Amino acid sequence: MACSHKKLSGSEVEIFCGINPEEFRVFEKDSLKEFSETTDIKGFRKGQAPPEVLKQHISQDKLMHRAAEMAVQKFYPEYVKQEKLEVIGPPEITILKLASGNPFEFKVKVALLPEIELSDYRSIAKNTRNESRPQEVTPEEVKQALDWLQESKVKLVRKDRPAQLGDKVEIDFQGKKDGVVVEKLTSHSHPIILGKTKLIPGLQEALIGMKEGEDKTITITLPLDFSEPSLQGSTIEMKIHITLLQERLLPEVIDDFAKSLGNFASLVELKTSIKNGLQQEKEIKEKDRIRALMADRMAQQAKIVLPAILIEGELDKMFQELRGNLKSMSLEIDQYLTTIGKNQEELRKDWFSDAERRVKTGLVLKEIARRENIEASEKEVNDHVNEYLKNFASSEQTRKEVDAIKLKEYTRGVLRNEKVFEFLEKQ
């Protein structure tokens, strides 16, 4: 193998590699062997078909491109390590020459860790930590948590009586404007807790006193800030029907209630546990706020020429994060873009400064780790990776859904950054 490189503008480097035919022939054989082990050929077990038979089933183009992949995967990282190039981000690989019996040539364009001129990050960390605010849990916050727990244990009992505040009712309603049905004001079996659910003015008052199965028609005026602009201030004829009426029986908040929630001997013990939990949450949020402020200030004061490929990569990552969040809500990206009235390019432009900030912050933390010899051990990385992999039902699912190399590098970066922050918090 013969490789060389030249630096480009914007903290990028271009690597050229040439591999002689004898060296490359090894990868051609490895490619053929790999296809042999994964291809079904009638009359032969996998891995047993002779090369000349296999070549009749696999195109030469596929064989050569897989050989090329194997060669790049071997020689590119070897050269990077040999030349001590601090590459970051995904490489852009271009095949220059690929033909059996000939030299194999390729080039790689990749971003290098740019030169970073850091400010006094120790002083920034110390000064920022001094801005940390003491966290206290108020009696009202404990009460709100208790109220939530009480609500989680509510019992619903169907009642044949007039509805009153605190009841849960389900209603059918239909709104008409000038005699025309308004779809946005029409629903079936709509759940409401009287006195708790926010309703159109006049609707709650109409429901109180009604019984299950009863109908009523009322006239209401929609508020000027109603969510649908075309209906703001409109007079609506609303037909309502209670389909279900239930009394909500809340448990009394006493020692027995505390005991029913778990290993609590008394209500006092439950309140103490709630207070401690809220206190811990607040302190974690405050620590995260200070860390974010610390990192932002260090990034702002650092001098870095950011490679464009890193910003584009970060934008890709942000887009994938958005896609994942939307998927968890059963939404498609195209639906979302239509809703906000933007295309992907416009969204990327909106995100550009945020992506730039995220990249800069990541590079600053990495540089501090380098200068202070901070790194996660291989055991720490493997332990965290293995813990994450427990979330998958089977090894087959893991292989399908997880890029092992990327997961390990991501985990290494997360653990390294955590250690950097722990170091800065001691300054």
Side-chain angles (χ1 to χ4, degrees), residues 167-171 173 190-194 197 199 203 207:
D167 286 345
K168 179 186 177 184
V169 297
E170 291 184 7
I171 68 170
F173 60 88
H190 193 83
I192 291 171
I193 297 176
L194 295 172
T197 306
L199 299 172
L203 183 55
L207 289 168

Side-chain angles (χ1 to χ4, degrees), residues 175-177 182 184-185 199-201 219-238:
K176 290 183 178 180
K177 179 183 178 182
V182 180
K184 285 186 175 291
L185 296 174
L199 299 172
I200 297 167
T219 300
I220 59 175
T221 301
L222 297 179
L224 295 175
D225 61 351
F226 190 68
S227 58
E228 174 56 50
S230 65
L231 296 174
Q232 291 172 352
S234 297
T235 299
I236 301 294
E237 182 185 83
M238 184 78 75

Side-chain angles (χ1 to χ4, degrees), residues 332-347:
E332 294 297 326
I333 189 70
D334 291 339
Q335 285 177 273
Y336 174 75
L337 293 173
T338 300
T339 302
I340 64 172
K342 293 187 177 182
N343 58 35
Q344 291 190 25
E345 282 309 307
E346 289 170 329
L347 204 57

Side-chain angles (χ1 to χ4, degrees), residues 260-290:
S260 73
L261 294 172
N263 192 26
F264 301 106
S266 66
L267 182 58
V268 171
E269 196 173 306
L270 172 61
K271 287 181 177 180
T272 301
S273 177
I274 290 171
K275 185 175 181 179
N276 291 341
L278 291 173
Q279 182 71 33
Q280 188 177 25
E281 279 182 31
K282 285 192 164 193
E283 288 174 359
I284 289 172
K285 283 183 180 178
E286 179 63 5
K287 183 174 81 169
D288 289 344
R289 185 186 75 83
I290 291 297

